[in-house]
Amino acid sequence: KPEFWSVDPYARIYPISFGYKMPMTMLGSQVAQVLESKNAKFPAGSHVVAYTGWRDVAVVDPDAIYDTYGKGHSALPKVAPAFKLPEGVSRSLLLGTLGMPGNTAYFGLLELCNPKKGETVVVSGAAGAVGTLVGQIAKLKG
């Protein structure tokens, strides 16, 4: 049962690019609570991050290989356990700062770009989910 859905701009054009036919389920990730399970890794009551689109309920086999993009095997897992977060931290962050956008910003800037203190960092997509975080990380790093 979903608690949070991702609402990403790419999801508008993505289906057309891969030839999906309308109407279709909106693409996106969600943080959801497991209602029923036959898999010990995902007990009822636990939370998951799932790439199931905007669905009220989804039936997922976590051990299956899914063709997420409609073009062959995908690197995206269909479902993964949600990280246990400190008290008071919203699970919605698993779709943003603590999820794919946050990891992309952090590792993309610090490991791929590897800026030095005092250098100027220019982010062409600074209004997006990843770009806003890159700007904040760059500022924190000096």
Side-chain angles (χ1 to χ4, degrees):
K1 179 178 178 168
E3 290 184 359
F4 302 99
W5 283 312
S6 64
V7 181
D8 302 307
Y10 79 87
R12 290 184 357 190
I13 194 68
Y14 189 86
I16 296 165
S17 300
F18 283 92
Y20 288 93
K21 303 292 183 228
M22 302 297 172
M24 61 167 280
T25 300
M26 187 66 171
L27 300 174
S29 304
Q30 61 175 261
V31 175
Q33 183 179 33
V34 177
L35 299 176
E36 294 179 30
S37 178
K38 295 178 182 175
N39 188 311
K41 293 185 270 184
F42 301 93
S46 65
H47 288 84
V48 296
V49 176
Y51 194 84
T52 57
W54 294 6
R55 299 174 190 272
D56 290 328
V57 176
V59 177
V60 179
D61 178 354
D63 297 322
I65 296 173
Y66 289 90
D67 183 5
T68 306
Y69 296 114
K71 299 290 182 182
H73 293 300
S74 165
L76 283 176
K78 189 71 168 183
V79 61
F83 297 108
K84 180 132 176 77
L85 299 173
E87 184 72 29
V89 175
S90 173
R91 281 188 282 273
S92 68
L93 295 175
L94 295 169
L95 299 175
T97 307
L98 300 176
M100 181 278 295
N103 281 298
T104 302
Y106 184 88
F107 293 106
L109 177 66
L110 300 180
E111 290 194 6
L112 295 178
C113 296
N114 196 20
K116 307 295 182 246
K117 189 170 181 127
E119 289 183 331
T120 300
V121 173
V122 177
V123 182
S124 64
V130 175
T132 56
L133 296 171
V134 169
Q136 292 178 55
I137 295 167
K139 184 173 181 178
L140 287 170
K141 292 292 184 177

